[in-house]
mmCIF file of all heavy atoms in Angstrom:
data_model
loop_
_atom_site.group_PDB
_atom_site.id
_atom_site.type_symbol
_atom_site.label_atom_id
_atom_site.label_comp_id
_atom_site.label_asym_id
_atom_site.label_seq_id
_atom_site.Cartn_x
_atom_site.Cartn_y
_atom_site.Cartn_z
ATOM 1 N N LEU A 1 12.923 1.510 0.424
ATOM 2 C CA LEU A 1 12.900 0.058 0.592
ATOM 3 C C LEU A 1 13.951 -0.405 1.601
ATOM 4 O O LEU A 1 13.689 -1.290 2.417
ATOM 5 C CB LEU A 1 13.097 -0.626 -0.764
ATOM 6 C CG LEU A 1 11.937 -0.436 -1.754
ATOM 7 C CD1 LEU A 1 12.356 -0.861 -3.160
ATOM 8 C CD2 LEU A 1 10.688 -1.177 -1.307
ATOM 9 N N GLN A 2 15.124 0.185 1.566
ATOM 10 C CA GLN A 2 16.192 -0.205 2.499
ATOM 11 C C GLN A 2 15.853 0.163 3.938
ATOM 12 O O GLN A 2 16.410 -0.407 4.870
ATOM 13 C CB GLN A 2 17.512 0.445 2.090
ATOM 14 C CG GLN A 2 18.082 -0.118 0.820
ATOM 15 C CD GLN A 2 19.155 0.779 0.210
ATOM 16 O OE1 GLN A 2 19.436 1.867 0.704
ATOM 17 N NE2 GLN A 2 19.738 0.317 -0.882
ATOM 18 N N HIS A 3 14.948 1.124 4.124
ATOM 19 C CA HIS A 3 14.600 1.570 5.478
ATOM 20 C C HIS A 3 13.241 1.072 5.955
ATOM 21 O O HIS A 3 12.731 1.548 6.961
ATOM 22 C CB HIS A 3 14.693 3.097 5.558
ATOM 23 C CG HIS A 3 16.109 3.572 5.545
ATOM 24 N ND1 HIS A 3 16.791 3.814 4.375
ATOM 25 C CD2 HIS A 3 16.978 3.801 6.551
ATOM 26 C CE1 HIS A 3 18.020 4.184 4.674
ATOM 27 N NE2 HIS A 3 18.167 4.184 5.981
ATOM 28 N N GLY A 4 12.639 0.112 5.232
ATOM 29 C CA GLY A 4 11.433 -0.530 5.753
ATOM 30 C C GLY A 4 10.164 -0.402 4.944
ATOM 31 O O GLY A 4 9.170 -1.051 5.259
ATOM 32 N N THR A 5 10.153 0.434 3.915
ATOM 33 C CA THR A 5 8.972 0.506 3.053
ATOM 34 C C THR A 5 8.898 -0.800 2.264
ATOM 35 O O THR A 5 9.914 -1.329 1.813
ATOM 36 C CB THR A 5 9.075 1.724 2.103
ATOM 37 O OG1 THR A 5 9.077 2.906 2.912
ATOM 38 C CG2 THR A 5 7.909 1.778 1.123
ATOM 39 N N ARG A 6 7.701 -1.320 2.102
ATOM 40 C CA ARG A 6 7.555 -2.625 1.453
ATOM 41 C C ARG A 6 7.308 -2.536 -0.052
ATOM 42 O O ARG A 6 7.589 -3.486 -0.783
ATOM 43 C CB ARG A 6 6.432 -3.391 2.137
ATOM 44 C CG ARG A 6 6.793 -3.689 3.580
ATOM 45 C CD ARG A 6 5.664 -4.194 4.439
ATOM 46 N NE ARG A 6 4.796 -5.151 3.806
ATOM 47 C CZ ARG A 6 3.531 -5.321 4.149
ATOM 48 N NH1 ARG A 6 2.998 -4.597 5.105
ATOM 49 N NH2 ARG A 6 2.789 -6.208 3.550
ATOM 50 N N LEU A 7 6.768 -1.402 -0.520
ATOM 51 C CA LEU A 7 6.416 -1.266 -1.922
ATOM 52 C C LEU A 7 6.525 0.205 -2.313
ATOM 53 O O LEU A 7 6.103 1.080 -1.552
ATOM 54 C CB LEU A 7 4.976 -1.754 -2.138
ATOM 55 C CG LEU A 7 4.391 -1.764 -3.533
ATOM 56 C CD1 LEU A 7 5.138 -2.738 -4.448
ATOM 57 C CD2 LEU A 7 2.908 -2.150 -3.473
ATOM 58 N N VAL A 8 7.107 0.473 -3.490
ATOM 59 C CA VAL A 8 7.221 1.848 -3.983
ATOM 60 C C VAL A 8 6.691 1.894 -5.409
ATOM 61 O O VAL A 8 7.018 1.024 -6.227
ATOM 62 C CB VAL A 8 8.689 2.343 -3.963
ATOM 63 C CG1 VAL A 8 8.780 3.763 -4.532
ATOM 64 C CG2 VAL A 8 9.263 2.308 -2.548
ATOM 65 N N TRP A 9 5.858 2.904 -5.667
ATOM 66 C CA TRP A 9 5.403 3.168 -7.039
ATOM 67 C C TRP A 9 6.046 4.464 -7.503
ATOM 68 O O TRP A 9 5.962 5.486 -6.818
ATOM 69 C CB TRP A 9 3.894 3.343 -7.108
ATOM 70 C CG TRP A 9 3.072 2.151 -6.730
ATOM 71 C CD1 TRP A 9 3.444 0.838 -6.734
ATOM 72 C CD2 TRP A 9 1.713 2.184 -6.278
ATOM 73 N NE1 TRP A 9 2.398 0.046 -6.313
ATOM 74 C CE2 TRP A 9 1.321 0.847 -6.027
ATOM 75 C CE3 TRP A 9 0.796 3.203 -6.060
ATOM 76 C CZ2 TRP A 9 0.047 0.516 -5.584
ATOM 77 C CZ3 TRP A 9 -0.470 2.873 -5.613
ATOM 78 C CH2 TRP A 9 -0.837 1.541 -5.388
ATOM 79 N N LEU A 10 6.660 4.425 -8.676
ATOM 80 C CA LEU A 10 7.168 5.628 -9.320
ATOM 81 C C LEU A 10 6.209 5.942 -10.464
ATOM 82 O O LEU A 10 6.093 5.160 -11.408
ATOM 83 C CB LEU A 10 8.587 5.405 -9.857
ATOM 84 C CG LEU A 10 9.636 4.966 -8.835
ATOM 85 C CD1 LEU A 10 10.978 4.724 -9.525
ATOM 86 C CD2 LEU A 10 9.766 5.982 -7.719
ATOM 87 N N VAL A 11 5.500 7.050 -10.361
ATOM 88 C CA VAL A 11 4.503 7.421 -11.360
ATOM 89 C C VAL A 11 5.160 8.327 -12.398
ATOM 90 O O VAL A 11 5.827 9.297 -12.044
ATOM 91 C CB VAL A 11 3.286 8.109 -10.681
ATOM 92 C CG1 VAL A 11 2.277 8.573 -11.711
ATOM 93 C CG2 VAL A 11 2.644 7.152 -9.675
ATOM 94 N N LEU A 12 4.957 7.995 -13.659
ATOM 95 C CA LEU A 12 5.632 8.662 -14.773
ATOM 96 C C LEU A 12 4.601 9.382 -15.644
ATOM 97 O O LEU A 12 4.094 8.816 -16.619
ATOM 98 C CB LEU A 12 6.408 7.631 -15.601
ATOM 99 C CG LEU A 12 7.278 6.653 -14.782
ATOM 100 C CD1 LEU A 12 7.858 5.570 -15.665
ATOM 101 C CD2 LEU A 12 8.356 7.408 -14.025
ATOM 102 N N PRO A 13 4.269 10.632 -15.310
ATOM 103 C CA PRO A 13 3.216 11.353 -16.038
ATOM 104 C C PRO A 13 3.472 11.497 -17.530
ATOM 105 O O PRO A 13 2.535 11.412 -18.322
ATOM 106 C CB PRO A 13 3.186 12.730 -15.370
ATOM 107 C CG PRO A 13 3.808 12.537 -14.049
ATOM 108 C CD PRO A 13 4.806 11.431 -14.217
ATOM 109 N N ASP A 14 4.734 11.693 -17.926
ATOM 110 C CA ASP A 14 5.033 11.896 -19.344
ATOM 111 C C ASP A 14 4.787 10.643 -20.177
ATOM 112 O O ASP A 14 4.696 10.716 -21.400
ATOM 113 C CB ASP A 14 6.475 12.390 -19.526
ATOM 114 C CG ASP A 14 7.511 11.508 -18.858
ATOM 115 O OD1 ASP A 14 7.157 10.749 -17.927
ATOM 116 O OD2 ASP A 14 8.690 11.575 -19.247
ATOM 117 N N ARG A 15 4.640 9.494 -19.527
ATOM 118 C CA ARG A 15 4.393 8.235 -20.234
ATOM 119 C C ARG A 15 3.048 7.621 -19.861
ATOM 120 O O ARG A 15 2.714 6.542 -20.346
ATOM 121 C CB ARG A 15 5.517 7.250 -19.922
ATOM 122 C CG ARG A 15 6.879 7.784 -20.378
ATOM 123 C CD ARG A 15 8.008 6.881 -19.992
ATOM 124 N NE ARG A 15 7.985 5.677 -20.809
ATOM 125 C CZ ARG A 15 8.833 4.679 -20.642
ATOM 126 N NH1 ARG A 15 9.769 4.738 -19.724
ATOM 127 N NH2 ARG A 15 8.760 3.605 -21.397
ATOM 128 N N ALA A 16 2.296 8.268 -18.945
ATOM 129 C CA ALA A 16 1.038 7.715 -18.414
ATOM 130 C C ALA A 16 1.284 6.278 -17.936
ATOM 131 O O ALA A 16 0.484 5.378 -18.173
ATOM 132 C CB ALA A 16 -0.085 7.782 -19.446
ATOM 133 N N ALA A 17 2.401 6.113 -17.243
ATOM 134 C CA ALA A 17 2.842 4.787 -16.825
ATOM 135 C C ALA A 17 3.394 4.857 -15.401
ATOM 136 O O ALA A 17 3.345 5.908 -14.755
ATOM 137 C CB ALA A 17 3.904 4.278 -17.798
ATOM 138 N N ALA A 18 3.929 3.729 -14.942
ATOM 139 C CA ALA A 18 4.513 3.677 -13.599
ATOM 140 C C ALA A 18 5.599 2.608 -13.573
ATOM 141 O O ALA A 18 5.702 1.777 -14.476
ATOM 142 C CB ALA A 18 3.441 3.376 -12.564
ATOM 143 N N GLU A 19 6.385 2.665 -12.525
ATOM 144 C CA GLU A 19 7.377 1.636 -12.264
ATOM 145 C C GLU A 19 7.137 1.160 -10.838
ATOM 146 O O GLU A 19 7.025 1.974 -9.921
ATOM 147 C CB GLU A 19 8.777 2.221 -12.432
ATOM 148 C CG GLU A 19 9.829 1.175 -12.639
ATOM 149 C CD GLU A 19 11.150 1.772 -13.109
ATOM 150 O OE1 GLU A 19 11.939 2.179 -12.239
ATOM 151 O OE2 GLU A 19 11.381 1.827 -14.329
ATOM 152 N N VAL A 20 7.031 -0.138 -10.666
ATOM 153 C CA VAL A 20 6.818 -0.734 -9.346
ATOM 154 C C VAL A 20 8.169 -1.217 -8.843
ATOM 155 O O VAL A 20 8.895 -1.920 -9.556
ATOM 156 C CB VAL A 20 5.803 -1.901 -9.418
ATOM 157 C CG1 VAL A 20 5.630 -2.549 -8.056
ATOM 158 C CG2 VAL A 20 4.457 -1.408 -9.958
ATOM 159 N N CYS A 21 8.509 -0.832 -7.612
ATOM 160 C CA CYS A 21 9.815 -1.162 -7.036
ATOM 161 C C CYS A 21 9.612 -2.018 -5.790
ATOM 162 O O CYS A 21 8.820 -1.678 -4.912
ATOM 163 C CB CYS A 21 10.567 0.112 -6.652
ATOM 164 S SG CYS A 21 10.601 1.360 -7.940
ATOM 165 N N ARG A 22 10.353 -3.120 -5.759
ATOM 166 C CA ARG A 22 10.311 -4.030 -4.610
ATOM 167 C C ARG A 22 11.740 -4.428 -4.257
ATOM 168 O O ARG A 22 12.589 -4.518 -5.145
ATOM 169 C CB ARG A 22 9.551 -5.305 -4.950
ATOM 170 C CG ARG A 22 8.159 -5.131 -5.431
ATOM 171 C CD ARG A 22 7.614 -6.500 -5.939
ATOM 172 N NE ARG A 22 6.453 -6.310 -6.739
ATOM 173 C CZ ARG A 22 6.442 -6.082 -8.052
ATOM 174 N NH1 ARG A 22 7.567 -6.015 -8.724
ATOM 175 N NH2 ARG A 22 5.316 -5.940 -8.699
ATOM 176 N N GLN A 23 11.960 -4.711 -2.987
ATOM 177 C CA GLN A 23 13.288 -5.181 -2.589
ATOM 178 C C GLN A 23 13.321 -6.693 -2.713
ATOM 179 O O GLN A 23 12.462 -7.397 -2.170
ATOM 180 C CB GLN A 23 13.607 -4.757 -1.158
ATOM 181 C CG GLN A 23 15.046 -5.016 -0.803
ATOM 182 C CD GLN A 23 15.511 -4.179 0.365
ATOM 183 O OE1 GLN A 23 14.730 -3.526 1.019
ATOM 184 N NE2 GLN A 23 16.798 -4.195 0.622
ATOM 185 N N GLY A 24 14.315 -7.192 -3.456
ATOM 186 C CA GLY A 24 14.469 -8.633 -3.626
ATOM 187 C C GLY A 24 15.045 -9.277 -2.381
ATOM 188 O O GLY A 24 15.542 -8.600 -1.472
ATOM 189 N N ASP A 25 15.000 -10.584 -2.351
ATOM 190 C CA ASP A 25 15.525 -11.336 -1.210
ATOM 191 C C ASP A 25 17.008 -11.093 -0.989
ATOM 192 O O ASP A 25 17.506 -11.176 0.134
ATOM 193 C CB ASP A 25 15.281 -12.836 -1.399
ATOM 194 C CG ASP A 25 13.798 -13.189 -1.362
ATOM 195 O OD1 ASP A 25 13.015 -12.429 -0.736
ATOM 196 O OD2 ASP A 25 13.423 -14.217 -1.968
ATOM 197 N N ASP A 26 17.736 -10.751 -2.060
ATOM 198 C CA ASP A 26 19.170 -10.510 -1.951
ATOM 199 C C ASP A 26 19.505 -9.054 -1.636
ATOM 200 O O ASP A 26 20.667 -8.666 -1.631
ATOM 201 C CB ASP A 26 19.881 -10.943 -3.234
ATOM 202 C CG ASP A 26 19.407 -10.171 -4.454
ATOM 203 O OD1 ASP A 26 18.474 -9.343 -4.339
ATOM 204 O OD2 ASP A 26 19.977 -10.397 -5.543
ATOM 205 N N GLY A 27 18.462 -8.222 -1.377
ATOM 206 C CA GLY A 27 18.688 -6.822 -1.027
ATOM 207 C C GLY A 27 18.709 -5.874 -2.213
ATOM 208 O O GLY A 27 18.715 -4.666 -2.025
ATOM 209 N N THR A 28 18.737 -6.408 -3.425
ATOM 210 C CA THR A 28 18.700 -5.543 -4.604
ATOM 211 C C THR A 28 17.261 -5.090 -4.845
ATOM 212 O O THR A 28 16.314 -5.688 -4.342
ATOM 213 C CB THR A 28 19.231 -6.262 -5.857
ATOM 214 O OG1 THR A 28 18.399 -7.397 -6.118
ATOM 215 C CG2 THR A 28 20.673 -6.687 -5.681
ATOM 216 N N VAL A 29 17.114 -4.036 -5.617
ATOM 217 C CA VAL A 29 15.779 -3.529 -5.928
ATOM 218 C C VAL A 29 15.367 -4.025 -7.305
ATOM 219 O O VAL A 29 16.134 -3.933 -8.267
ATOM 220 C CB VAL A 29 15.749 -1.982 -5.880
ATOM 221 C CG1 VAL A 29 14.366 -1.456 -6.242
ATOM 222 C CG2 VAL A 29 16.154 -1.493 -4.496
ATOM 223 N N ASP A 30 14.161 -4.578 -7.368
ATOM 224 C CA ASP A 30 13.589 -5.025 -8.632
ATOM 225 C C ASP A 30 12.622 -3.959 -9.120
ATOM 226 O O ASP A 30 11.833 -3.423 -8.337
ATOM 227 C CB ASP A 30 12.828 -6.346 -8.442
ATOM 228 C CG ASP A 30 13.727 -7.474 -7.954
ATOM 229 O OD1 ASP A 30 14.879 -7.561 -8.435
ATOM 230 O OD2 ASP A 30 13.277 -8.253 -7.092
ATOM 231 N N TYR A 31 12.697 -3.647 -10.420
ATOM 232 C CA TYR A 31 11.845 -2.633 -11.029
ATOM 233 C C TYR A 31 10.970 -3.296 -12.079
ATOM 234 O O TYR A 31 11.471 -4.044 -12.920
ATOM 235 C CB TYR A 31 12.698 -1.543 -11.706
ATOM 236 C CG TYR A 31 13.668 -0.868 -10.761
ATOM 237 C CD1 TYR A 31 14.994 -1.271 -10.694
ATOM 238 C CD2 TYR A 31 13.249 0.166 -9.929
ATOM 239 C CE1 TYR A 31 15.883 -0.663 -9.828
ATOM 240 C CE2 TYR A 31 14.134 0.784 -9.062
ATOM 241 C CZ TYR A 31 15.451 0.363 -9.015
ATOM 242 O OH TYR A 31 16.328 0.965 -8.163
ATOM 243 N N GLU A 32 9.684 -2.995 -12.039
ATOM 244 C CA GLU A 32 8.745 -3.538 -13.026
ATOM 245 C C GLU A 32 8.002 -2.384 -13.672
ATOM 246 O O GLU A 32 7.316 -1.621 -12.988
ATOM 247 C CB GLU A 32 7.748 -4.486 -12.353
ATOM 248 C CG GLU A 32 6.698 -5.022 -13.283
ATOM 249 C CD GLU A 32 5.597 -5.789 -12.563
ATOM 250 O OE1 GLU A 32 5.721 -6.059 -11.352
ATOM 251 O OE2 GLU A 32 4.586 -6.096 -13.229
ATOM 252 N N PHE A 33 8.131 -2.258 -14.991
ATOM 253 C CA PHE A 33 7.435 -1.206 -15.729
ATOM 254 C C PHE A 33 5.979 -1.612 -15.936
ATOM 255 O O PHE A 33 5.682 -2.744 -16.298
ATOM 256 C CB PHE A 33 8.117 -0.972 -17.083
ATOM 257 C CG PHE A 33 7.452 0.102 -17.892
ATOM 258 C CD1 PHE A 33 7.681 1.441 -17.612
ATOM 259 C CD2 PHE A 33 6.588 -0.219 -18.924
ATOM 260 C CE1 PHE A 33 7.066 2.445 -18.346
ATOM 261 C CE2 PHE A 33 5.973 0.774 -19.669
ATOM 262 C CZ PHE A 33 6.203 2.103 -19.385
ATOM 263 N N VAL A 34 5.073 -0.666 -15.685
ATOM 264 C CA VAL A 34 3.644 -0.876 -15.915
ATOM 265 C C VAL A 34 3.193 0.183 -16.910
ATOM 266 O O VAL A 34 3.245 1.381 -16.616
ATOM 267 C CB VAL A 34 2.830 -0.759 -14.596
ATOM 268 C CG1 VAL A 34 1.346 -0.965 -14.869
ATOM 269 C CG2 VAL A 34 3.341 -1.741 -13.548
ATOM 270 N N GLY A 35 2.793 -0.256 -18.093
ATOM 271 C CA GLY A 35 2.409 0.658 -19.157
ATOM 272 C C GLY A 35 1.019 1.249 -18.967
ATOM 273 O O GLY A 35 0.290 0.888 -18.029
ATOM 274 N N PRO A 36 0.629 2.139 -19.872
ATOM 275 C CA PRO A 36 -0.651 2.849 -19.763
ATOM 276 C C PRO A 36 -1.881 1.945 -19.683
ATOM 277 O O PRO A 36 -2.898 2.342 -19.132
ATOM 278 C CB PRO A 36 -0.699 3.707 -21.034
ATOM 279 C CG PRO A 36 0.715 3.852 -21.466
ATOM 280 C CD PRO A 36 1.416 2.602 -21.019
ATOM 281 N N ASP A 37 -1.778 0.724 -20.222
ATOM 282 C CA ASP A 37 -2.914 -0.195 -20.167
ATOM 283 C C ASP A 37 -2.866 -1.101 -18.938
ATOM 284 O O ASP A 37 -3.735 -1.963 -18.765
ATOM 285 C CB ASP A 37 -2.956 -1.055 -21.432
ATOM 286 C CG ASP A 37 -3.233 -0.220 -22.672
ATOM 287 O OD1 ASP A 37 -3.929 0.809 -22.554
ATOM 288 O OD2 ASP A 37 -2.721 -0.588 -23.750
ATOM 289 N N GLY A 38 -1.860 -0.909 -18.089
ATOM 290 C CA GLY A 38 -1.688 -1.762 -16.920
ATOM 291 C C GLY A 38 -2.339 -1.206 -15.674
ATOM 292 O O GLY A 38 -3.029 -0.185 -15.696
ATOM 293 N N SER A 39 -2.102 -1.899 -14.554
ATOM 294 C CA SER A 39 -2.686 -1.533 -13.264
ATOM 295 C C SER A 39 -1.628 -1.564 -12.180
ATOM 296 O O SER A 39 -0.676 -2.340 -12.252
ATOM 297 C CB SER A 39 -3.783 -2.524 -12.872
ATOM 298 O OG SER A 39 -4.842 -2.498 -13.784
#
């Protein structure tokens, strides 16, 4: 994200889930958990 990627997905096989990562306006990274029933 700091080098220009706009969106990162971290896929978590052991949980059948993912984490969505975005860079906030203040430069910090925001993480959003997406559970097995999510998209």
Side-chain angles (χ1 to χ4, degrees):
L1 293 167
Q2 290 164 356
H3 287 87
T5 296
R6 296 168 41 207
L7 182 64
V8 178
W9 297 338
L10 303 177
V11 177
L12 313 173
D14 54 339
R15 299 176 72 183
E19 199 167 86
V20 178
C21 311
R22 303 171 196 88
Q23 190 159 9
D25 293 335
D26 61 356
T28 61
V29 178
D30 299 320
Y31 303 97
E32 177 189 351
F33 180 79
V34 179
D37 294 329
S39 297

